[in-house]
Amino acid sequence: MIQLYYNRGPNPMKVALFLEEAGLVYNPVAVDTAKGEQHNAEFSALNPNNKVPAIIDGDAVVFDSSAILLYLAEKTGLFLSDDNLRERGALLSWLLFVGTGVGPFMGQASHFRHFAPDPKTYALDRYTFEGRRHMGVLDRHLDGREWMVSDRYTIVDMSIWAWTLHLAFILGDEALEEFPHVVRLGAAIGGRPAASRALALKEMHSFKPEQDAEYRRNMFRHLGA
Ligand SMILES: N[C@@H](CCC(=O)N[C@@H](CS)C(=O)NCC(=O)O)C(=O)O
């Protein structure tokens, strides 16, 4: 059975959504990153980058949400693009655009908006600008299209859905009006039973809620011990 190492963040949720959509049997293993469980020896052996998600599938260990989505999609033949090089190229481009652009910039925008101490104006402005710019790229692509690739629901849409859950928190309520096509995609996926089942994982484990000194020590390691 697949072991899914997760917390409540957007990247594990993408993978939970795939597993639920595909009807794959899996065992969710909570990694409480606020308590520093991503840094223990057992988890470091699975993901040397010390972040969730990661999966174990038989002999295979896969980390990084984009890699896991692609691995599971190729393994099952589900939620991929149409089977031709043009569409495959589009799927890879957008999947990596989300993984290497949307994710990091939205993550940093969130950090500087909600967690970083002052002075932070320059960093907050830069990452908010880049987060909005990336959302704008997605929104323009989705204008007049139901899905990102091949007119069908793929792992790219799943990857974006996870970020739509945090859109207002990261970029402010105005983002909900600024990116109507992204919001529409998120709502379409959010209405699916698989999405509700994936989100239920967040409540399955009581993750440490306090953003106290222990949280900062484990999540913001540049601050030192
Ligand atoms: N590129 C990675 C990023 C993973 C990531 O940032 N995971 C967050 C949760 S959404 C995490 O584990 N944070 C804990 C930490 O930074 O220590 C992916 O797509 O899986």
Side-chain angles (χ1 to χ4, degrees):
M1 190 196 303
I2 294 173
Q3 307 293 314
L4 168 65
Y5 293 80
Y6 80 103
N7 72 0
R8 304 171 83 167
N11 294 305
M13 284 302 117
K14 303 171 187 175
V15 175
L17 176 63
F18 184 101
L19 291 165
E20 291 291 346
E21 289 284 17
L24 292 173
V25 181
Y26 67 101
N27 177 42
V29 182
V31 178
D32 200 330
T33 49
K35 290 186 184 163
E37 291 174 0
Q38 72 275 39
H39 302 298
N40 70 29
E42 188 198 346
F43 188 74
S44 294
L46 298 178
N47 183 355
N49 192 33
N50 302 99
K51 291 186 190 288
V52 283
I55 64 165
I56 303 178
D57 180 26
D59 289 341
V61 176
V62 193
F63 64 86
D64 199 287
S65 58
S66 303
I68 299 170
L69 287 174
L70 200 53
Y71 170 89
L72 292 172
E74 289 183 343
K75 171 184 157 134
T76 58
L78 296 171
F79 303 110
L80 288 166
S81 61
D82 287 340
D83 190 17
N84 62 64
L85 285 177
R86 193 174 73 98
E87 296 297 304
R88 166 97 178 142
L91 179 120
L92 289 174
S93 299
W94 287 114
L95 186 67
L96 295 193
F97 173 80
V98 177
T100 65
V102 172
F105 281 113
M106 291 290 276
Q108 294 305 314
S110 175
H111 178 80
F112 284 102
R113 190 179 187 105
H114 295 290
F115 304 106
D118 287 317
K120 61 180 183 181
T121 309
Y122 178 89
L124 177 61
D125 288 351
R126 170 169 168 73
Y127 287 116
T128 302
F129 178 89
E130 283 297 327
R132 288 180 58 225
R133 192 181 68 74
H134 279 75
M135 282 298 154
V137 172
L138 294 177
D139 206 63
R140 285 191 293 282
H141 184 72
L142 281 167
D143 188 358
R145 313 173 54 106
E146 188 176 5
W147 305 109
M148 284 296 292
V149 178
S150 295
D151 291 330
R152 62 160 91 162
Y153 178 33
T154 70
I155 51 176
V156 175
D157 306 299
M158 293 181 189
S159 191
I160 294 168
W161 164 76
W163 287 106
T164 66
L165 301 170
H166 304 269
L167 196 56
F169 179 75
I170 297 175
L171 298 179
D173 286 343
E174 60 274 25
L176 300 177
E177 290 187 5
E178 194 176 348
F179 307 113
H181 305 292
V182 171
V183 170
R184 185 244 312 147
L185 179 80
I189 298 174
R192 297 172 67 87
S196 304
R197 291 196 298 272
L199 291 175
L201 285 187
K202 292 191 185 196
E203 312 310 326
M204 241 171 100
H205 179 87
S206 58
F207 291 95
K208 174 185 161 76
E210 299 86 14
Q211 292 175 348
D212 54 8
E214 183 190 30
Y215 171 88
R216 287 192 295 278
R217 197 166 56 245
N218 292 317
M219 297 293 291
F220 311 143
R221 297 187 102 202
H222 61 283
L223 295 174

